[in-house]
């Protein structure tokens, strides 16, 4: 038998930075010599754009709609550093289940034996995670991905989505489902943002894999149709993505998370609202700011 392929899934609410983070991880891993595939599982089908010069690739669902039999090179496209790029695609808006693309893409990749034939080390699924739909749970439920990471900011809606994801993981964790690797904190610049994330992570008994600042380098790279690893390899932001990629490649220890009940989550958020107000009024000082 061949080597074990590491399969990970990156979940998070829409627009939180999943594709940006996933693509930079893929690019950094490829640069470090790993054989990587990134599977975009968001109906937006733009997961792999910055690995491919800003261009869209045909999706698995669209290609299969045109013909029942497809060849690997009709749905798998090489991007930066040799990263294999796949977009699952989605149904027409308002029609059918958005998780359909994931199910179909995973089935097709299995049928075509691409994981073995391409001798992959790591497969990264980039999954829109705030939709409560069975299809989106497939990588978790079926144990397709072994480790799940969530991209999350300090915004309540992002944390709410992460907490929902934790509920999903917990539900299937005793029946061979994926486990939680940790949280990737994105767009955390303010000290209080870090404190909020740290507090949430502590309460749900998980960990932070990386703190990624919001950076104009990312915006500039995206406008050039590139990952930051490609466009600004010497930048501080590229170093942060490279460190995260290394941590993920070496990561083994995923666990069952402890999501908060909705009432607890609301109370927790209200507590932070009071705390932030007091901070703003200068009544208390931030711990992390050290001032
Ligand atoms: P998602 O895949 O979760 O929907 P994207 O990765 O497409 O989100 O990111 C949404 C937008 O936010 C993009 O324009 C992206 O460039 C930007 N973005 C994400 N992370 C950062 C960051 N750390 N710094 C600056 N811009 C970011
Ligand atoms: Mg995306």
């Amino acid at each position: 038998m061949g080597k074990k392929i590491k399969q990970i899934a990156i979940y998070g609410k829409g627009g939180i930075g999943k594709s940006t983070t996933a693509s930079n991880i893929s690019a950094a891993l490829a640069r470090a010599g790993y054989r990587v595939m990134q599977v975009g599982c968001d109906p937006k089908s733009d997961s792999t754009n910055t690995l491919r010069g800003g261009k869209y690739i045909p999706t698995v669902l669209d290609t299969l709609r045109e013909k029942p039999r497809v060849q690997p090179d009709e749905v798998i496209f090489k991007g930066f550093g040799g990263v294999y790029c796949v977009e699952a695609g989605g149904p027409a808006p308002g029609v059918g289940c958005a998780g359909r693309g994931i199910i179909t893409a995973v089935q097709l990749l299995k049928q075509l034996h691409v994981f073995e034939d391409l001798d992959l080390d790591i497969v990264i699924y980039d999954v829109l995670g705030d939709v409560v739909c069975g299809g989106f749970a497939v990588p978790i439920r079926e144990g397709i991905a072994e480790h799940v990471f969530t991209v999350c900011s300090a915004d309540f809606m992002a944390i709410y989505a992460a907490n929902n994801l934790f509920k999903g993981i917990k539900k299937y964790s005793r029946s061979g489902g994926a486990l939680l690797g940790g949280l990737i904190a994105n767009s955390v610049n303010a000290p209080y943002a870090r404190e909020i994330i740290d507090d949430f992570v502590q309460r749900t008994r998980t960990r932070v894999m990386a703190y990624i600042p919001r950076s104009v380098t990312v915006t500039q790279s995206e406008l050039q149709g590139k990952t930051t690893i490609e466009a600004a390899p010497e930048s501080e932001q590229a170093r942060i993505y490279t460190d995260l990629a290394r941590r993920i490649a070496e990561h083994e220890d995923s666990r069952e998370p402890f999501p908060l009940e909705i009432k607890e989550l609301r109370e927790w958020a209200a507590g932070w609202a009071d705390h932030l107000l007091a901070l703003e009024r200068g009544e208390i000082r931030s711990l992390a700011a050290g001032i």
Side-chain angles (χ1 to χ4, degrees):
M1 282 306 289
K3 65 188 169 192
K4 189 168 185 317
I5 302 169
K6 186 169 214 159
Q7 306 215 46
I8 69 159
I10 296 188
Y11 278 76
K13 89 182 246 303
I16 202 68
K18 295 178 297 295
S19 301
T20 305
T21 309
S23 301
N24 276 292
I25 293 170
S26 292
L29 289 173
R31 205 171 60 166
Y34 291 95
R35 297 176 63 84
V36 188
M37 175 179 279
Q38 182 166 321
V39 185
C41 304
D42 187 324
K44 267 202 313 211
S45 312
D46 61 354
S47 172
T48 58
N49 276 16
T50 53
L51 291 164
R52 298 255 319 149
K55 289 199 249 343
Y56 285 80
I57 57 176
T59 72
V60 170
L61 277 188
D62 285 347
T63 310
L64 277 173
R65 248 193 294 270
E66 278 160 32
K67 49 200 271 201
R69 286 195 166 275
V70 303
Q71 300 300 318
D73 63 0
E74 292 174 294
V75 289
I76 304 169
F77 302 86
K78 266 196 174 185
F80 171 79
V83 175
Y84 294 102
C85 302
V86 176
E87 293 288 348
V95 188
C97 165
R100 189 77 227 147
I102 307 176
I103 300 168
T104 311
V106 168
Q107 272 173 356
L108 180 70
L109 294 173
K110 268 193 190 157
Q111 270 168 24
L112 296 174
H113 301 288
V114 296
F115 295 158
E116 300 80 15
D117 292 354
L118 296 176
D119 191 26
L120 298 175
D121 297 304
I122 301 188
V123 182
I124 300 179
Y125 298 89
D126 170 6
V127 195
L128 179 65
D130 59 346
V131 182
V132 185
C133 156
F136 287 106
V138 164
I140 298 175
R141 197 176 59 208
E142 315 282 321
I144 291 166
E146 202 180 345
H147 309 282
V148 176
F149 298 93
T150 179
V151 177
C152 190
S153 70
D155 290 345
F156 183 67
M157 288 321 291
I159 288 178
Y160 179 84
N163 192 63
N164 268 347
L165 172 71
F166 294 179
K167 286 184 184 170
I169 295 173
K170 188 177 175 189
K171 194 179 169 92
Y172 299 111
S173 62
R174 305 272 165 86
S175 51
L179 293 174
L180 182 68
L183 182 149
I184 299 167
N186 191 33
S187 300
V188 279
N189 294 48
Y192 74 82
R194 215 169 154 130
E195 285 177 46
I196 291 175
I197 295 270
D198 286 348
D199 192 20
F200 174 67
V201 155
Q202 199 193 351
R203 274 167 204 257
T204 51
R205 298 192 221 171
T206 177
R207 79 190 95 188
V208 176
M209 298 297 290
Y211 299 95
I212 303 175
R214 192 150 192 96
S215 150
V216 73
T217 313
V218 174
T219 313
Q220 285 164 342
S221 310
E222 185 186 41
L223 291 171
Q224 293 173 49
K226 292 176 180 164
T227 60
T228 300
I229 296 292
E230 181 180 8
E234 304 303 326
S235 64
E236 173 62 12
Q237 195 78 4
R239 190 190 63 71
I240 292 169
Y241 285 127
T242 304
D243 284 351
L244 171 60
R246 189 185 318 115
R247 275 199 82 177
I248 285 182
E250 290 168 1
H251 177 91
E252 291 298 339
D253 178 28
S254 288
R255 298 188 187 165
E256 185 182 318
F258 291 78
L260 301 176
E261 292 300 329
I262 190 67
K263 190 164 168 285
E264 280 179 291
L265 188 66
R266 289 207 183 109
E267 281 165 9
W268 175 82
W272 268 103
D274 293 345
H275 185 76
L276 292 182
L277 193 64
L279 261 182
E280 197 174 85
R281 289 183 176 150
E283 290 162 14
I284 52 165
R285 291 184 297 179
S286 165
L287 289 174
I291 43 171

